[in-house]
């Protein structure tokens, strides 16, 4: 079993963090949740995360800026964009800027977990979704 | 337009009475029917009738004058004839007296004198009947007649004596005695006829001057009558036309108040008023359709933003629901309750988002009410939140404290601000700021709201046409060219005005001025 993945989750909707934190922790990840992009950026500057999940439209700063900052800090970090304002042009912009993937709201916790697993694989790490799925079946 | 001043102030006076009842601003079919009925229920007195009546009276007056003149003329004629008669009579008497003298001097011509006095008598008998009035009645006539009779009988006495005594009669004392009497009577008759001539001459002069007076005064009276008749007619037509010019100007400016009866009678202009009201109804209906059409376009623009905004609460609900399903058995009761509460709150949030848009889109009956513009603008900004967020534009809302309330239609005014703000967003680029400033107007009875952007600005040469319907600078399919025209119409109905200041490259400022107290009701056009 590899070290847990370090994940930062940024969304100005409080419920997103509240629900996704336990969901992701179940697949052996450490999750830090932020609602305020400024605080999140400060934390990113302090610590290198494996994966950053960020919303795009937020009041003070948008997800695209966060994406730039993360990639500048550490190019190996996988950035997953989530947004309610899902438009093809926006997704394309994000992908061109180097985002790992793009998830449109509303999504199920599993959709994010699958993308995280993919990102983990790309990082040379692995996330075991099977145990979780089995658990759900049980 | 200084001319419209009094009309407007009059309108405002009426307003104060009708403000209570003027809550229906736009769809007022009932009011139109009432106005038409009131206009037509008055007594009919047409301009045509006034012309006929005036001319008939004029003809009547002229006829009376002609009759008076004819009567006067007759009178003069009569007097002249009388004068002629008196003159004839007096000349016969004079002749008789001359022969009478001859008789007393030479004893001749007695026959001639008798003949002349006969003639005089016959003239008097035949003609005096005709002029009895001028002879001052029967008694005077009898008097003169008696004198002539005495004169004649004296002459006849002489004649009888002459027949008996033949020659030398005129020298006898008897003849001399009669001669004295004859002289007295002759003088008396002549004096009477001379006096009559004098009196008649004066009377004729008087009648002639009277006739002159009648001529001049009837001419002046006719002139005065014509003047009064014409001025009544002209003022009636002219003032009414003037009023209609005012109405037309106001309707053109978007003020669709109905025309109500103002005079106690109806005429041809009433038909015009009725037609005007019909026209106002038609224009109003069409404008409402236009407003609604344009609103649906704005709703279309807002819908994509709203749909995206809905994704947030929906996502929260979805995540929460799935986590409850996933961890149901591992969760404590408190946690489960907390999560379900979240679901409840988020469904409520979704409902509000949709309700906002539906409220805006709904075609409801308009009502005028006292409203807080700062709240209305804040609500409008909320409706446009997504558009603002997408375009990365900041909005700065500055309303002065205790902003005065105005009377207005919330829905329609919200549409105006949606139009202005969407335009401002379109004109701006990312990072720009839009300012919405509310402050008191130039007069204490008005407030101003300015929507300012720092975008591309509007070229000078098209600034005058931006409020025209179907004028657009946007690409085909992007704009209807109705936004500003519809906004202008709505503001006009609120008794306000909208102006633009813009400089190419540095942005535009749209300023709306609203009256605080007075806004046009619907019962304020009078006629």
């Amino acid at each position: 079993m590899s070290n847990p993945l370090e994940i930062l989750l940024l969304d100005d909707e409080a419920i997103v963090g509240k629900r996704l934190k336990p969901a992701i922790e179940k697949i052996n990840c450490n999750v830090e949740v932020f609602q305020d992009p400024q605080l999140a950026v400060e934390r990113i500057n302090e610590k290198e995360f494996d994966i950053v999940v960020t919303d795009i439209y937020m009041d003070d700063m948008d997800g695209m800026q966060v994406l730039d900052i993360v990639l500048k800090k550490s190019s190996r970090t996988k950035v997953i964009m989530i947004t309610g304002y899902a438009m093809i042009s926006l997704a394309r912009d994000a992908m061109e800027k180097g985002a790992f993937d793009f998830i449109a709201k509303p999504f199920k916790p599993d959709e994010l977990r699958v993308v995280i697993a993919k990102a983990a694989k790309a990082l040379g790490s692995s996330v075991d979704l099977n145990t979780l799925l089995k658990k759900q079946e049980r | 337009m200084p001319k419209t001043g009094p009309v407007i102030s009059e309108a405002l006076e009426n307003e104060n009475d009708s403000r209570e009842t003027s809550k229906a601003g736009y769809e007022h079919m009932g009011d139109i029917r009432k106005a038409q009925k009131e206009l037509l229920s008055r007594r009919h007195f047409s301009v045509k009738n006034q012309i006929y009546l005036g001319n008939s009276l004029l003809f009547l007056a002229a006829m009376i004058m002609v009759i008076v003149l004819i009567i006067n003329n007759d009178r003069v004629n009569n007097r002249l004839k009388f004068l002629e008669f008196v003159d004839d009579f007096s000349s016969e008497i004079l002749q008789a007296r001359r022969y009478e003298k001859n008789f007393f001097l030479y004893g001749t011509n007695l026959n001639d004198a008798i003949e002349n006095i006969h003639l005089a008598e016959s003239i008097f008998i035949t003609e005096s009947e005709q002029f009895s009035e001028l002879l001052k009645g029967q008694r005077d006539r009898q008097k003169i007649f008696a004198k002539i009779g005495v004169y004649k009988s004296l002459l006849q006495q002489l004649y009888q004596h002459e027949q008996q005594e033949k020659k030398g009669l005129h020298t006898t004392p008897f003849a001399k005695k009669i001669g004295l009497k004859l002289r007295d009577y002759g003088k008396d008759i002549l004096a009477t006829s001379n006096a009559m001539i004098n009196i008649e001459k004066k009377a004729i002069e008087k009648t002639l001057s009277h006739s002159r007076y009648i001529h001049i005064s009837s001419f002046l009276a006719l002139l005065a009558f014509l003047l009064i008749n014409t001025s009544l007619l002209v003022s009636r037509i002219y003032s009414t036309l003037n009023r209609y010019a005012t109405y037309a100007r106001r309707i053109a400016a978007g003020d669709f108040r109905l025309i109500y009866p103002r005079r106690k009678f109806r005429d041809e202009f009433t038909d015009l008023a009725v037609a005007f009201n019909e026209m106002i109804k038609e224009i109003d209906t069409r404008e409402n359709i236009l407003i609604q059409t344009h609103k649906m376009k704005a709703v279309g623009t807002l819908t994509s933003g709203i749909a995206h905004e809905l994704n947030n609460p929906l996502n929260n609900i979805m995540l929460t629901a799935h986590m409850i399903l996933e961890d149901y058995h591992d969760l404590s009761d408190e946690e489960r309750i907390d999560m379900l509460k979240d679901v409840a709150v988020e469904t409520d949030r979704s409902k509000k988002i949709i309700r906002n848009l539906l409220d805006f889109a709904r075609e409801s009956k308009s009502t005028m009410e006292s409203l807080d513009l700062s709240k209305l603008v804040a609500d409008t900004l909320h409706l446009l939140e997504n558009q603002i967020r997408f375009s990365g534009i900041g909005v700065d809302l500055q309303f002065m404290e205790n902003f005065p309330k105005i009377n207005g239609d919330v829905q329609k005014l919200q549409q105006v601000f949606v139009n202005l703000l969407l335009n401002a967003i379109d004109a701006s680029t990312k990072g720009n700021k839009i300012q919405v400033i509310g402050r008191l107007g130039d007069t204490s009875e008005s407030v101003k709201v300015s929507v300012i952007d720092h975008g591309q600005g509007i070229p000078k040469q098209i600034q005058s046409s931006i409020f025209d319907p179907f004028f657009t600078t946007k690409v085909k399919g992007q704009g209807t060219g109705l936004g500003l025209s519809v906004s202008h119409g709505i503001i006009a109905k609120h008794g306000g005005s909208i102006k633009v200041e813009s400089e190419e490259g540095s942005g535009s400022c749209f300023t709306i001025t609203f009256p605080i107290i007075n806004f046009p009701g619907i019962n304020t056009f009078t006629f």
Side-chain angles (χ1 to χ4, degrees):
Chain A
M1 189 113 181
S2 53
N3 286 334
L5 287 170
E6 296 297 325
I7 296 181
L8 181 140
L9 176 67
L10 168 63
D11 195 315
D12 58 359
E13 295 279 336
I15 294 176
V16 173
K18 216 155 79 178
R19 295 290 113 78
L20 287 178
K21 188 174 157 67
I24 301 170
E25 276 170 349
K26 278 189 202 167
I27 53 170
N28 193 28
C29 297
N30 288 333
V31 183
E32 289 184 35
V33 171
F34 290 89
Q35 269 174 264
D36 183 345
Q38 301 292 348
L39 297 176
V41 167
E42 273 174 35
R43 185 69 183 134
I44 287 164
N45 284 328
E46 279 168 23
K47 179 181 169 186
E48 191 187 306
F49 288 93
D50 297 310
I51 296 169
V52 171
V53 180
T54 177
D55 189 14
I56 295 183
Y57 285 114
M58 290 169 294
D59 280 340
D60 299 322
M61 186 187 285
D62 78 27
M64 295 301 202
Q65 287 169 278
V66 176
L67 171 64
D68 285 342
I69 291 164
V70 171
L71 292 180
K72 212 179 269 174
K73 173 87 195 320
S74 132
S75 56
R76 63 169 283 278
T77 305
K78 303 296 171 205
V79 182
I80 300 165
M81 316 294 288
I82 51 175
T83 183
Y85 304 86
M87 285 174 290
I88 290 173
S89 60
L90 196 66
R92 196 173 48 225
D93 284 356
M95 300 310 279
E96 276 171 10
K97 279 192 166 179
F100 178 76
D101 209 343
F102 186 97
I103 303 175
K105 283 183 185 173
F107 59 87
K108 295 169 193 159
D110 279 347
E111 290 174 54
L112 180 64
R113 285 193 284 227
V114 168
V115 175
I116 288 174
K118 253 165 53 187
K121 206 171 171 189
L123 284 165
S125 178
S126 72
V127 165
D128 186 11
L129 289 177
N130 291 333
T131 45
L132 182 77
L133 291 174
K134 266 182 210 150
K135 211 170 162 188
Q136 277 176 16
E137 278 162 23
R138 194 186 62 201
Chain B
M1 288 177 283
K3 261 194 172 172
T4 61
V7 183
I8 282 173
S9 67
E10 203 178 286
L12 292 181
E13 271 172 34
N14 286 347
E15 235 159 58
N16 291 337
D17 302 331
S18 64
R19 193 135 38 89
E20 290 290 312
T21 54
S22 66
K23 47 180 196 225
Y26 297 87
E27 292 105 20
H28 43 254
M29 291 303 179
D31 293 311
I32 285 173
R33 270 196 293 277
K34 194 176 137 232
Q36 306 294 62
K37 210 177 140 197
E38 276 180 28
L39 281 169
L40 290 173
S41 66
R42 293 170 295 170
R43 197 165 43 79
H44 190 262
F45 179 51
S46 65
V47 175
K48 192 176 77 187
N49 285 351
Q50 188 179 343
I51 293 172
Y52 283 156
L53 187 70
N55 284 348
S56 306
L57 285 174
L58 197 68
F59 177 74
L60 205 67
M63 213 162 75
I64 290 169
M65 282 161 198
V66 166
I67 289 169
V68 167
L69 284 173
I70 286 172
I71 289 171
N72 205 48
N73 232 27
D74 263 8
R75 200 176 286 161
V76 171
N77 222 13
N78 211 19
R79 284 194 187 277
L80 279 173
K81 269 188 192 156
F82 178 67
L83 204 60
E84 215 173 283
F85 145 70
V86 178
D87 203 43
D88 281 354
F89 172 70
S90 124
S91 74
E92 291 301 336
I93 297 284
L94 210 64
Q95 197 61 30
R97 291 220 60 208
R98 221 173 274 141
Y99 288 135
E100 172 217 316
K101 258 180 205 158
N102 277 356
F103 171 76
F104 283 107
L105 284 174
Y106 314 112
T108 56
N109 295 97
L110 186 59
N111 282 345
D112 296 323
I114 292 171
E115 199 179 316
N116 279 114
I117 201 75
H118 259 300
L119 272 172
E121 192 185 31
S122 73
I123 289 172
F124 195 83
I125 290 168
T126 52
E127 303 286 330
S128 70
E129 191 67 39
Q130 195 183 331
F131 303 109
S132 62
E133 188 191 333
L134 295 170
L135 281 167
K136 292 168 201 149
Q138 207 67 15
R139 269 186 62 198
D140 281 21
R141 193 156 64 133
Q142 292 298 338
K143 249 190 219 164
I144 297 170
F145 197 62
K147 281 175 188 167
I148 295 169
V150 173
Y151 190 85
K152 201 176 89 179
S153 72
L154 284 170
L155 278 178
Q156 269 164 351
Q157 276 181 38
L158 278 176
Y159 181 72
Q160 278 166 11
H161 282 276
E162 194 187 38
Q163 295 291 334
Q164 289 162 13
E165 297 178 22
K166 306 279 178 182
K167 294 219 166 134
L169 178 70
H170 61 286
T171 49
T172 59
F174 168 75
K176 278 195 176 137
K177 201 178 125 196
I178 289 178
L180 281 173
K181 276 187 187 167
L182 270 174
R183 204 175 299 155
D184 285 347
Y185 276 102
K187 265 186 191 167
D188 196 13
I189 295 168
L190 269 181
T192 312
S193 71
N194 278 341
M196 276 201 294
I197 287 172
N198 280 338
I199 289 168
E200 268 326 288
K201 274 184 180 163
K202 272 181 190 151
I204 285 174
E205 269 170 31
K206 205 176 145 197
T207 315
L208 280 176
S209 87
H210 188 62
S211 160
R212 193 163 48 236
Y213 169 77
I214 292 174
H215 269 103
I216 293 172
S217 59
S218 60
F219 174 74
L220 287 177
L222 270 180
L223 195 71
F225 194 90
L226 268 173
L227 275 176
I228 292 169
N229 187 35
T230 312
S231 72
L232 278 177
L233 204 60
V234 166
S235 72
R236 178 172 170 187
I237 295 172
Y238 185 79
S239 66
T240 319
L241 281 179
N242 249 355
R243 212 176 298 137
Y244 272 94
T246 314
Y247 294 153
R249 268 197 297 273
R250 284 212 260 166
I251 292 167
D255 188 343
F256 298 148
R257 284 177 282 162
L258 293 174
I259 299 174
Y260 273 80
R262 176 145 148 183
R263 301 177 304 188
K264 287 201 169 69
F265 52 89
R266 69 190 161 90
D267 59 13
E268 288 88 342
F269 288 108
T270 308
D271 299 341
L272 199 57
V274 169
F276 259 60
N277 281 345
E278 280 294 319
M279 182 181 74
I280 288 169
K281 189 182 85 186
E282 285 301 314
I283 296 177
D284 204 27
T285 310
R286 270 153 218 268
E287 191 169 92
N288 277 328
I289 293 171
L290 211 60
I291 289 173
Q292 189 59 24
T293 307
H294 184 265
K295 187 152 101 179
M296 290 334 281
K297 171 86 174 60
V299 167
T301 309
L302 297 178
T303 304
S304 76
I306 299 287
H308 283 125
E309 191 188 341
L310 262 182
N311 281 335
N312 275 322
L314 204 56
N315 186 52
N316 291 339
I317 295 164
M318 189 179 253
L319 291 178
T320 309
H322 277 275
M323 290 319 289
I324 292 173
L325 275 176
E326 201 175 302
D327 298 335
Y328 189 82
H329 298 292
D330 304 333
L331 292 169
S332 66
D333 277 355
E334 276 161 38
E335 281 170 321
R336 280 199 287 256
I337 287 171
D338 183 50
M339 288 167 94
L340 285 171
K341 268 187 189 161
D342 278 349
V343 171
V345 169
E346 292 300 302
T347 48
D348 208 39
R349 180 178 161 196
S350 312
K351 188 183 108 181
K352 273 183 192 150
I353 291 168
I354 293 168
R355 167 78 57 82
N356 262 347
L357 182 72
L358 288 183
D359 277 349
F360 176 67
R362 188 169 40 231
E363 189 178 6
S364 65
K365 203 168 169 73
S366 309
T367 47
M368 287 292 205
E369 57 189 304
S370 172
L371 60 91
D372 182 357
L373 268 180
S374 62
K375 186 182 173 291
L376 187 135
V377 172
D379 286 349
T380 310
L381 283 173
H382 186 63
L383 198 61
L384 293 170
E385 210 173 271
N386 300 293
Q387 269 67 28
I388 294 165
R389 190 182 282 186
F390 284 152
S391 44
I393 292 161
V395 177
D396 189 9
L397 184 63
Q398 299 168 27
F399 267 74
M400 61 169 235
E401 274 190 35
N402 299 324
F403 195 79
K405 289 199 166 186
I406 64 153
N407 272 302
D409 176 336
V410 174
Q411 275 219 334
K412 295 271 190 313
L413 288 180
Q414 197 165 34
Q415 191 177 347
V416 170
F417 285 107
V418 165
N419 291 341
L420 292 182
L421 287 164
L422 281 179
N423 281 349
I425 292 169
D426 277 351
S428 303
T429 45
K430 202 168 179 171
N432 273 349
K433 234 180 169 58
I434 293 171
Q435 285 170 285
V436 186
I437 300 171
R439 59 192 190 280
L440 282 182
D442 301 327
T443 62
S444 58
E445 279 123 30
S446 66
V447 286
K448 284 202 284 194
V449 180
S450 301
V451 177
I452 304 163
D453 69 66
H454 301 281
Q456 60 208 32
I458 303 162
K460 271 264 173 313
Q461 65 270 21
I462 64 163
Q463 278 181 22
S464 57
S465 8
I466 56 171
F467 293 109
D468 296 345
F470 306 111
F471 179 86
T472 181
T473 55
K474 289 175 184 161
V475 204
K476 209 177 167 190
Q478 288 283 314
T480 55
L482 287 177
L484 287 175
S485 140
V486 159
S487 302
H488 182 265
I490 294 172
I491 299 297
K493 272 192 184 161
H494 283 76
S497 64
I498 178 165
K499 286 195 184 77
V500 64
E501 287 165 68
S502 180
E503 209 157 294
E504 239 183 311
S506 61
S508 311
C509 169
F510 284 86
T511 303
I512 308 175
T513 309
F514 291 104
I516 296 179
I517 311 158
N518 298 319
F519 70 98
I522 45 162
N523 298 340
T524 44
F525 263 164
T526 57
F527 180 69

